[in-house]
């Protein structure tokens, strides 16, 4: 990746870093929020449960006092639960009072810390079941609450399906006997005779709390990932837009630099070419004149003829080179007329027929007769001629050139030249179109650049590639006759 790529820019790097930091902070805050809201919900539910347990215990205390304690004291003089009749009377009062309330257990402890009553008859008389907070309840005459669990705190967070009996609320409530109104204080006095223990199953409440916590966490997590993904999309789009803008800027800068260089080079080349062309023309004309008069001389030597022929041939080649320089330095504005591609191709093939036969190179072409483009016939002929010359020079000898033309859906005609040569070197693909770059021993490196200039001047495009089966493929796109040049130029650059 280029060092100018905005993805390497420190500002975008900081933006991505901050986006990850924000994700971590959102996740941390989600966990804290879920824990906080879960605890608040648990405290609210537990407060409701404790209030309900206090009301139930208070009501049960009144029922025991009115329906058991007073009648038993009046009938027997004192309460002795070891007597089966008294125990059954107390059990009947308690069972009728708590019927349908689904309590886990209910015990009554005496002041001697012994279990005097229990749903489980095997617990009667035991002193090892007394909770540690019983003494505080008897002294303060205030109820105490304790949440009991059979699973650990960490395990409870991941237990979405809580079995019955996993969590329970134990309520210790003082059993009191009213002593009447105090003469000194004027307040109602009571005597704590024991402690009532009630255990309620609150597993369903805890399951609701745990599910609520996970719902909060999942909601925060999904929203944070959504916002993070949205932020990443915006950052990526900004990076892509900036990358595209920077690439276009670099391309324009390179083109501007190239144009400035070529403009300066064109002025120098044009000046030099004009100075070379006149004496070069004189030399070529003189050599041609001497060659024509060779039959008029009696003492003409073959060596002199070879020298004159070499002078004439080299001046022709040098003249073509000068013309190439001038054509590239000062490209001609193309005319707009109807040009049949088949006629241009046939004209170029007729001119090159001798060289193609000499090198044993065949040409297979399919160009429909009615395929016409809008352009300058002379310039387009030169472009096709140059491409044919490049193709047979790449083959060397014994090969084939395939030429195909087809109509595209965007109003362009595609003319492709596929030779059976070695193809373009992959490492040089980006340099082949550059002016003055050549892989030949003799050449100016202006053949393809001139073709590219001619094609782009007609609102077309030149593409270079290698065929998977071997050989180079040169494709030119030209506007079909009747298309607007500016529209074709836009389509060619899409």
């Amino acid at each position: 990746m280029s060092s100018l790529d905005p993805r390497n820019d420190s500002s975008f790097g900081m933006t991505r870093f901050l986006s990850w930091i924000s994700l971590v902070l959102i996740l941390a805050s989600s966990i804290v929020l879920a824990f906080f809201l879960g605890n608040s919900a648990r405290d609210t539910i537990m407060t409701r449960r404790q209030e309900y347990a206090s009301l139930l215990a208070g009501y049960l205390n009144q029922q025991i006092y009115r329906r058991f304690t007073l009648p038993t004291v009046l009938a027997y003089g004192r309460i002795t639960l070891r007597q089966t009749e008294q125990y059954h009377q107390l059990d009947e009062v308690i069972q009728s009072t708590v019927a349908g309330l689904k309590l886990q257990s209910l015990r009554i402890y005496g002041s001697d810390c012994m279990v005097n009553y229990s749903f489980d008859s095997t617990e009667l008389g035991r002193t090892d079941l007394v909770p540690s907070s019983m003494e505080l309840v008897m002294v303060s005459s205030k109820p105490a609450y304790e949440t009991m669990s059979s699973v650990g705190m960490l395990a409870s967070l991941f237990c979405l399906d809580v079995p019955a009996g996993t969590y329970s609320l134990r309520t210790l409530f003082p059993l009191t006997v009213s002593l009447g109104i105090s003469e000194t204080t004027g307040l109602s006095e009571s005597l704590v005779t024991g402690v009532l223990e009630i255990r309620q199953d609150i597993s369903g409440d805890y399951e609701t709390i745990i599910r609520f916590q996970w719902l909060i966490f999942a909601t925060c997590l999904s929203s944070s990932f959504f916002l993070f993904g949205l932020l990443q999309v915006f950052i990526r789009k900004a990076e892509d837009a900036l990358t595209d803008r920077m690439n276009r800027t670099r391309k324009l800068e390179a083109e501007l630099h190239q144009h400035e260089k070529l403009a300066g080079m064109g002025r120098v080349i044009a000046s030099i070419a004009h100075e070379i062309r006149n004496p070069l023309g004189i030399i070529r004309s003189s050599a041609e004149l001497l060659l024509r008069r060779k039959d008029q001389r009696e003492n003409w030597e073959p060596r002199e003829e070879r020298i004159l022929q070499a002078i004439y041939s080299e001046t022709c080649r040098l003249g073509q080179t000068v013309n190439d320089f001038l054509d590239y330095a000062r490209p001609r504005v193309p005319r707009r007329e109807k040009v049949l591609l088949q006629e241009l191709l046939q004209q170029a093939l007729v001119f090159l027929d001798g060289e193609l036969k000499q090198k044993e190179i065949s040409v297979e072409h399919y160009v429909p007769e009615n395929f016409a483009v809008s352009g300058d016939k002379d310039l387009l002929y030169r472009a096709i001629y140059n491409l044919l010359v490049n193709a047979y020079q790449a083959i060397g000898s014994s090969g084939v050139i395939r030429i195909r033309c087809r109509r595209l859906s965007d109003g362009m005609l595609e003319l492709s030249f596929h030779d059976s040569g070695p193809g373009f070197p992959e490492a040089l693909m980006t340099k082949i179109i550059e002016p003055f770059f050549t892989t030949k021993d003799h050449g100016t490196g202006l053949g393809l650049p001139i073709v590219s200039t001619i094609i782009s001047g007609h609102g077309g495009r030149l593409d270079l590639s290698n065929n998977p089966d071997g050989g180079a493929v040169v494709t030119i796109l030209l506007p079909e006759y009747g298309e607007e040049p500016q529209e074709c130029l836009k389509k060619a650059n899409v």
Side-chain angles (χ1 to χ4, degrees):
M1 191 176 292
S2 173
S3 60
L4 296 176
D5 198 312
R7 292 178 176 82
N8 295 330
D9 189 79
S10 59
S11 59
F12 278 100
M14 181 60 69
T15 303
R16 287 192 294 271
F17 174 74
L18 291 178
S19 66
W20 281 102
I21 291 296
S22 64
L23 176 64
V24 174
L25 291 177
I26 291 174
L27 292 179
S29 61
S30 300
I31 295 174
V32 173
L33 181 63
F35 181 77
F36 175 76
L37 292 179
N39 283 347
S40 298
R42 182 186 61 190
D43 293 341
T44 301
I45 293 177
M46 294 306 299
T47 300
R48 300 290 185 185
R49 279 287 188 175
Q50 291 172 6
E51 291 175 352
Y52 173 76
S54 296
L55 290 175
L56 175 60
Y59 177 72
L60 188 57
N61 182 39
Q62 293 180 0
Q63 292 298 314
I64 292 174
Y65 178 72
R66 293 177 180 177
R67 296 171 56 188
F68 173 74
T69 304
L70 286 179
T72 301
V73 170
L74 292 176
Y76 297 97
R78 65 191 183 92
I79 298 175
T80 306
L81 293 179
R82 290 188 179 89
Q83 294 182 9
T84 304
E85 186 177 353
Q86 291 189 17
Y87 185 86
H88 285 313
Q89 289 179 354
L90 177 61
D91 183 60
E92 182 180 351
V93 171
I94 293 176
Q95 291 291 347
S96 62
T97 304
V98 301
L101 296 181
K102 299 180 180 180
L103 299 179
Q104 278 187 311
S105 65
L106 188 149
R107 299 190 188 107
I108 296 178
Y109 300 97
S111 57
D112 55 357
C113 298
M114 182 182 294
V115 178
N116 293 329
Y117 175 85
S118 174
F119 284 167
D120 185 0
S121 59
T122 61
E123 297 177 351
L124 296 176
R126 294 177 59 178
T127 58
D128 58 328
L129 300 177
V130 178
S132 58
S133 55
M134 176 177 170
E135 183 179 353
L136 179 62
V137 172
M138 295 192 65
V139 172
S140 63
S141 299
K142 294 180 179 180
Y145 309 95
E146 183 181 355
T147 302
M148 305 177 69
S149 173
S150 59
V151 296
M153 181 180 298
L154 184 61
S156 65
L157 296 177
F158 300 95
C159 187
L160 298 180
D161 187 13
V162 180
T166 304
Y167 294 93
S168 59
L169 175 64
R170 180 166 65 183
T171 303
L172 299 177
F173 192 87
L175 292 174
T176 59
V177 176
S178 177
L179 299 178
I181 304 300
S182 174
E183 297 180 355
T184 57
T185 61
L187 299 176
S188 176
E189 292 185 348
S190 59
L191 175 65
V192 178
T193 60
V195 173
L196 173 66
E197 177 189 303
I198 299 175
R199 292 185 63 175
Q200 300 169 274
D201 186 7
I202 57 173
S203 301
D205 296 331
Y206 261 82
E207 181 177 338
T208 302
I209 295 170
I210 293 172
R211 290 180 181 271
F212 178 64
Q213 285 179 316
W214 277 105
L215 177 63
I216 296 172
F217 181 71
T219 303
C220 294
L221 186 65
S222 58
S223 61
S224 61
F225 271 109
F226 175 76
L227 293 176
F228 177 75
L230 198 61
L231 181 60
Q232 291 297 314
V233 170
F234 287 152
I235 293 175
R236 176 66 62 179
K237 286 186 176 294
E239 289 178 345
D240 292 341
L242 186 57
T243 301
D244 183 60
R245 182 173 298 179
M246 291 178 68
N247 289 335
R248 283 184 293 171
T249 301
R250 287 198 298 271
K251 184 178 179 181
L252 291 175
E253 289 176 352
E255 290 178 355
L256 180 60
H257 180 69
Q258 182 71 5
H259 289 164
E260 291 177 351
K261 182 174 69 175
L262 293 178
M265 186 185 302
R267 289 190 294 269
V268 175
I269 290 175
S271 177
I272 295 175
H274 282 298
E275 295 297 328
I276 293 176
R277 177 178 285 179
N278 292 332
L280 189 62
I282 295 173
I283 296 171
R284 182 175 59 188
S285 300
S286 301
E288 184 179 7
L289 180 61
L290 290 173
L291 287 172
R292 289 177 180 176
R293 293 181 178 179
K294 66 178 181 178
D295 296 334
Q296 301 176 6
R297 294 180 56 182
E298 297 178 355
N299 57 346
W300 185 268
E301 295 183 4
R303 182 171 176 272
E304 293 178 355
E305 182 182 357
R306 290 196 300 270
I307 293 174
L308 286 175
Q309 187 65 47
I311 292 174
Y312 178 74
S313 299
E314 289 302 313
T315 52
C316 289
R317 187 180 65 81
L318 186 56
Q320 183 60 45
T321 301
V322 171
N323 289 334
D324 287 345
F325 281 131
L326 287 175
D327 289 342
Y328 187 75
R330 294 180 179 178
R332 194 175 76 192
V333 177
R335 299 190 303 271
R336 294 294 170 183
E337 57 185 355
K338 184 177 181 180
V339 180
L340 294 173
L341 291 179
Q342 190 186 71
E343 289 184 3
L344 286 182
L345 182 61
Q346 291 290 354
Q347 183 180 351
L349 289 175
V350 168
F351 189 82
L352 295 172
D353 184 62
E355 295 184 45
L356 292 172
K357 288 181 178 179
Q358 183 182 0
K359 294 178 179 291
E360 299 181 353
I361 295 175
S362 63
V363 178
E364 300 176 1
H365 59 87
Y366 173 73
V367 180
E369 295 181 358
N370 61 338
F371 276 15
V373 297
S374 177
D376 191 307
K377 185 175 182 179
D378 294 336
L379 292 177
L380 291 174
Y381 169 80
R382 183 165 187 187
I384 292 176
Y385 176 85
N386 282 351
L387 292 178
L388 286 172
V389 170
N390 284 345
Y392 82 69
Q393 288 179 351
I395 294 173
S397 62
S398 300
V400 61
I401 301 174
R402 296 181 178 87
I403 304 172
R404 296 289 184 270
C405 188
R406 65 189 181 111
R407 179 184 285 115
L408 302 181
S409 59
D410 56 2
M412 305 289 285
L413 293 181
E414 180 187 85
L415 185 63
S416 62
F417 297 77
H418 175 205
D419 62 63
S420 58
F424 296 115
E426 291 293 340
L428 303 177
M429 285 292 287
T430 58
K431 296 183 178 180
I432 292 175
I433 202 68
E434 293 181 1
F436 309 111
F437 178 84
T438 179
T439 57
K440 303 173 185 176
D441 295 334
H442 302 285
T444 60
L446 291 175
L448 284 177
I450 290 175
V451 174
S452 178
T453 301
I454 293 173
I455 299 303
S456 61
H458 283 77
R461 188 178 73 231
L462 175 69
D463 292 331
L464 307 178
S465 62
N466 286 321
N467 191 282
D469 298 328
V473 179
V474 179
T475 304
I476 58 176
L477 298 175
L478 288 169
E480 190 170 6
Y481 181 73
E483 289 284 333
E484 291 295 330
Q486 292 299 328
E487 292 297 324
C488 293
L489 197 58
K490 292 179 181 178
K491 293 174 182 177
N493 293 327
V494 172

